[in-house]
């Protein structure tokens, strides 16, 4: 077989490595019957629904939790903590699952997941919620990344995009279920306790436990058969306004400087000294891998910046409940999911993924551009939904195409590592985006409040407890406050549009990946197309 003139396949993407114990726990689908494979697929999809339900319900309840604890302005620190933990823990779960097994790793992750949810549901202070978020982040990280690794273990590359898309499909049902349950589980009525939101955490815990059981029981059977430096850099953007002197405070400056130095030292260590890097620097030598991974990073930043405070803004500006606001913004994930599946089917039909990355980015930029006027207080609800749907469709197309591309350039035993790299970068992106959104809320919004509001007002309550404070304002002051909120939303959308330029440049770097490369009859073929990535050496992962 001529390795110099053929499509880019994972068979040549990594130098042969010894068959060591770290690869012995990779699931081998060939050992399963068709019935067993279908059972595990059904279990994965059910667990996907449980995970999606919990994630959506958590997102909906978060604003109630922050308002109850009078901490809305620093509420974005919770998602930031989550993403920092994910960036740090993804490599651990990847390595641990390779050595100890997928079922063992998912079981441990689910334990932390439920412990964190219990702590948060019983929390009486924002600090306790943050502690619970640490355990929750440890668990949810493992569940998310290991489920994707499980999918990659058991599907051929040509079908991988379809399975990734199917994993997201249950989220469509959970969107509408969560919308119907949000207000009944979180919004206290007359005579009900103010901390009614705790019921939401109870429901989330029960659903998550059922989902874990459904997945782990068959998985155990089949298996038997066969970063602190980021905290220093990102958290000050959110916390600065809570310290005396704001950004002039020495503690904030010290955190920023220490974080930058720590990240710089980590990069040097990864590149020059360690034999077992968190994310092999060889990945960055391949332009397809580099482009796909950076696209994931940029999309994570864009998503986090643009949606961190959207539900709260819709509640304040449109006089709707959180359940109604949640439904308005859900056009993004619903269309995301549908477009992922359609794109996966088209990729299988035409054996290509690169053009879909370009198309997805272009559509996403159009949707984000529409969001700028759609989020004005005077815009119609229909305009909000349309802008969300367009942006979500583009993001879904680009996401599934870039994910399949980056998992198609390495040997099967290295797929988990690449998925881990993608998850690390996505988590870093979400953390950066959350910090940027928190910075806009705590640094830019107060200035817009001072500019717009002409009568006396309580800035602390306007930023930290808007759900109770704003409805009691006179109409003129309330309108001025909403205008200030709208300015912040516009800035977040503009930042997102600018970031999309980086994503498109990275998409242009990507080359064609043969999606049929792991089919038995294709592994004996060769092709001399000059525009194929086969002429570059793919990354050797350690």
């Amino acid at each position: 077989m001529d390795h110099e003139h053929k499509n880019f396949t994972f068979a040549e993407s990594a130098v042969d490595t010894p068959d060591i114990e770290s690869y012995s726990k990779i699931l081998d689908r060939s050992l399963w019957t068709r019935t067993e494979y279908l059972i595990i697929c059904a279990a994965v999809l059910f667990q996907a629904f449980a995970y999606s339900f919990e994630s959506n319900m958590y997102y909906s309840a978060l604003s109630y939790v922050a308002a109850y604890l009078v901490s809305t302005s620093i509420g974005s620190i919770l998602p930031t903590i989550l993403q920092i933990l994910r960036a740090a823990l993804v490599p651990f779960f990847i390595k641990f699952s390779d050595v100890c097994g997928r079922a063992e790793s998912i079981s441990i992750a689910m334990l932390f997941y439920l412990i964190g949810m219990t702590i948060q549901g019983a929390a009486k202070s924002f600090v306790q919620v943050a502690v619970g978020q640490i355990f929750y982040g440890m668990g949810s990280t493992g569940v998310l990344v290991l489920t994707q690794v499980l999918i990659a273990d058991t599907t051929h590359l040509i079908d991988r995009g379809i399975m990734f898309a199917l994993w997201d499909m249950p989220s469509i049902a959970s969107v509408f279920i969560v919308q119907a349950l949000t207000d009944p589980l979180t919004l206290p009525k007359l005579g009900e306790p103010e901390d009614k939101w705790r019921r939401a955490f109870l429901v989330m815990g029960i659903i998550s436990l059922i989902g874990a059981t459904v997945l782990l029981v068959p998985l155990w059977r089949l298996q038997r058969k066969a970063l602190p430096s980021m905290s220093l850099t990102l958290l000050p953007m959110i916390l600065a306004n809570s310290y005396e002197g704001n950004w002039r405070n020495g503690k904030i400056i010290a955190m920023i400087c220490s974080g930058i130095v720590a990240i710089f030292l980590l990069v040097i260590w990864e590149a020059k000294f360690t034999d077992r890097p968190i994310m092999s620097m060889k990945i960055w030598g391949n332009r397809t891998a580099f482009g796909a991974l950076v696209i994931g990073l940029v999309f994570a930043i864009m998503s986090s910046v643009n949606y961190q405070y959207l539900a709260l803004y819709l509640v304040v500006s449109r006089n709707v409940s959180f359940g109604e606001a949640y439904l308005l913004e859900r056009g993004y994930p619903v269309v995301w999911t549908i477009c992922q599946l359609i794109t996966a089917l088209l990729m299988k039909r035409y054996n290509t993924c690169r053009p879909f990355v370009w198309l997805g980015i272009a559509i996403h930029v159009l949707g984000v551009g529409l969001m700028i006027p759609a989020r004005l207080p005077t815009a119609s609800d229909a305009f909000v939904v349309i802008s969300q749907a367009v942006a979500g469709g583009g993001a879904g197309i680009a996401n599934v195409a870039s994910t399949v591309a980056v998992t198609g350039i390495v040997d099967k035993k290295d797929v988990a590592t690449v998925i881990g790299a993608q998850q690390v970068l996505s988590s870093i992106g979400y953390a950066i985006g959350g910090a940027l959104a928190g910075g806009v809320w705590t640094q830019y919004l107060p200035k817009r409040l001072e500019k717009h509001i002409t009568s006396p007002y309580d800035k602390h309550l306007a930023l930290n407890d808007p759900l109770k404070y704003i409805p009691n304002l006179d109409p003129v002051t309330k309108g001025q406050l909403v205008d200030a909120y709208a300015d912040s939303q516009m800035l977040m959308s503009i930042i997102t549009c600018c970031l999309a330029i980086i994503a498109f440049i990275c998409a242009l770097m990507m080359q064609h990946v043969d999606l049929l490369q792991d089919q038995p009859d294709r592994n004996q073929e060769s092709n001399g197309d000059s525009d194929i990535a086969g002429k570059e050496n793919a990354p050797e992962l350690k």
Side-chain angles (χ1 to χ4, degrees):
M1 184 175 180
D2 184 2
H3 287 286
E4 296 182 356
H5 300 288
K6 65 184 184 65
N7 284 3
F8 188 36
T9 67
F10 67 55
E12 59 175 330
S13 65
V15 175
D16 289 339
T17 54
D19 186 16
I20 60 176
E21 175 67 18
S22 62
Y23 299 133
S24 64
K25 297 295 184 177
I26 297 176
L27 296 174
D28 187 353
R29 175 183 168 183
S30 65
L31 299 177
W32 301 352
T33 66
R34 177 176 175 80
T35 300
E36 289 172 333
Y37 175 68
L38 293 177
I39 289 174
I40 203 68
C41 286
V44 167
L45 294 178
F46 186 87
Q47 193 277 332
F49 168 78
Y51 182 85
S52 174
F53 175 88
E54 179 278 322
S55 298
N56 286 323
M57 180 59 75
Y58 182 85
Y59 174 78
S60 299
L62 183 59
S63 295
Y64 283 103
V65 176
Y68 175 79
L69 300 173
V70 195
S71 303
T72 298
S73 67
I74 59 173
S76 65
I77 198 174
L78 295 179
T80 302
I81 290 173
L82 175 61
Q83 300 306 331
I84 290 172
L85 284 170
R86 283 184 173 169
L89 291 173
V90 163
F92 164 77
F93 276 111
I94 293 295
K95 295 292 185 183
F96 187 82
S97 70
D98 279 349
V99 174
C100 297
R102 309 304 196 217
E104 292 87 346
S105 302
I106 295 176
S107 298
I108 292 173
M110 282 305 309
L111 178 62
F112 283 111
Y113 194 59
L114 294 172
I115 290 174
M117 207 171 297
T118 302
I119 293 174
Q120 289 184 301
K124 297 185 182 299
S125 69
F126 190 81
V127 172
Q128 292 175 357
V129 174
V131 171
Q133 185 76 340
I134 293 174
F135 286 92
Y136 172 85
M138 294 168 67
S140 65
T141 297
V143 173
L144 177 61
V145 70
L146 294 175
T147 305
Q148 293 183 332
V149 169
L150 183 60
I151 292 172
D153 278 348
T154 56
T155 55
H156 295 302
L157 180 60
I158 191 68
D159 297 317
R160 196 168 294 160
I162 296 175
M163 195 60 192
F164 280 139
L166 287 175
W167 189 80
D168 281 332
M169 287 301 290
S171 65
I172 296 179
S174 72
V175 163
F176 297 101
I177 295 173
V178 168
Q179 190 275 332
L181 294 177
T182 295
D183 290 339
L185 289 176
T186 56
L187 184 62
K189 298 180 180 179
L190 185 64
E192 292 184 328
E194 289 292 322
D195 60 350
K196 186 179 178 181
W197 51 267
R198 299 184 193 278
R199 301 179 187 179
F201 281 85
L202 176 61
V203 173
M204 285 187 280
I206 293 173
I207 297 296
S208 297
L209 181 60
I210 294 173
T213 303
V214 170
L215 175 62
L216 287 172
V217 169
L219 183 59
W220 271 102
R221 177 181 177 276
L222 291 175
Q223 182 168 289
R224 285 197 300 269
K225 181 180 180 180
L227 295 157
S229 60
M230 286 187 57
S231 303
L232 291 171
T233 308
L234 300 176
L235 297 187
M237 301 178 68
I238 303 170
L239 296 175
N241 201 41
S242 63
Y243 281 81
E244 182 180 357
N246 206 323
W247 284 97
R248 295 183 295 275
N249 188 287
K251 295 180 180 179
I252 296 297
I253 296 174
M255 288 176 70
I256 286 285
C257 294
S258 300
I260 293 173
V261 171
I263 291 175
F264 179 72
L265 292 176
L266 175 63
V267 171
I268 293 177
W269 173 261
E270 288 283 299
K272 299 294 184 181
F273 298 104
T274 182
D275 293 328
R276 293 287 178 180
I278 294 174
M279 190 188 324
S280 175
M281 294 299 155
K282 297 289 186 180
I283 294 175
W284 305 106
N286 179 275
R287 71 194 219 187
T288 300
F290 178 88
L293 290 171
V294 175
I295 287 170
L297 169 69
V298 173
F299 264 88
I301 297 174
M302 292 191 294
S303 176
S304 188
V305 168
N306 221 15
Y307 295 96
Q308 190 70 55
Y309 291 99
L310 178 57
L312 178 62
Y313 170 69
L314 292 174
V315 170
V316 169
S317 63
R318 295 173 184 270
N319 295 317
V320 298
S321 69
F322 261 104
E324 293 169 324
Y326 174 83
L327 192 59
L328 284 175
E329 65 172 4
R330 290 297 91 181
Y332 187 102
V334 169
V335 180
W336 159 295
T337 304
I338 295 172
C339 286
Q340 278 202 133
L341 181 57
I342 294 173
T343 302
L345 293 171
L346 290 174
M347 288 194 299
K348 180 174 183 177
R349 170 66 178 81
Y350 295 105
N351 185 28
T352 188
C353 55
R354 180 176 55 175
F356 294 102
V357 178
W358 302 338
L359 177 63
I361 294 173
I363 295 175
H364 183 74
V365 172
L366 174 62
V368 174
L370 291 174
M371 287 179 187
I372 296 176
R375 293 187 180 182
L376 293 175
T378 55
S380 67
D381 291 349
F383 196 7
V384 174
V385 173
I386 291 171
S387 65
Q388 295 288 111
V390 173
I397 293 170
N399 177 72
V400 71
S402 59
T403 299
V404 171
V406 79
T407 59
I409 62 167
V410 294
D411 190 274
K412 184 175 181 179
K413 64 178 178 290
D414 293 321
V415 168
T417 302
V418 172
I419 290 177
Q422 189 180 43
Q423 288 295 319
V424 167
L425 289 175
S426 294
S427 296
I428 291 173
Y430 283 119
I432 293 172
L436 287 173
V440 170
W441 188 269
T442 59
Q443 306 298 316
Y444 180 74
L445 179 55
K447 297 177 182 178
R448 305 311 296 173
L449 292 172
E450 293 175 2
K451 176 179 175 59
H452 284 284
I453 300 179
T454 57
S455 57
Y457 72 101
D458 190 320
K459 182 174 73 172
H460 176 74
L461 292 179
L463 292 172
N464 291 282
D465 196 10
L467 298 179
K468 294 180 180 178
Y469 177 67
I470 294 176
N472 297 320
L473 295 174
D474 64 88
V476 174
T477 303
K478 180 180 179 181
Q480 293 170 339
L481 188 145
V482 168
D483 289 339
Y485 273 40
D487 288 350
S488 297
Q489 286 293 318
M490 180 179 294
L491 178 59
M492 293 177 191
S493 295
I494 292 173
I495 291 172
T496 303
C497 284
C498 294
L499 289 170
I501 298 174
I502 301 175
F504 193 75
I505 292 174
C506 291
L508 294 176
M509 300 172 58
M510 296 175 63
Q511 294 180 287
H512 175 72
V513 177
D514 180 14
L515 303 185
L516 293 172
Q517 60 188 259
D518 60 349
Q519 302 299 308
D521 57 334
R522 288 297 294 267
N523 286 338
Q524 305 301 320
E525 298 178 5
S526 63
N527 190 306
D529 293 345
S530 61
D531 65 335
I532 302 303
K535 294 205 173 179
E536 291 187 2
N537 291 326
E540 173 190 356
L541 304 185
K542 294 183 178 180

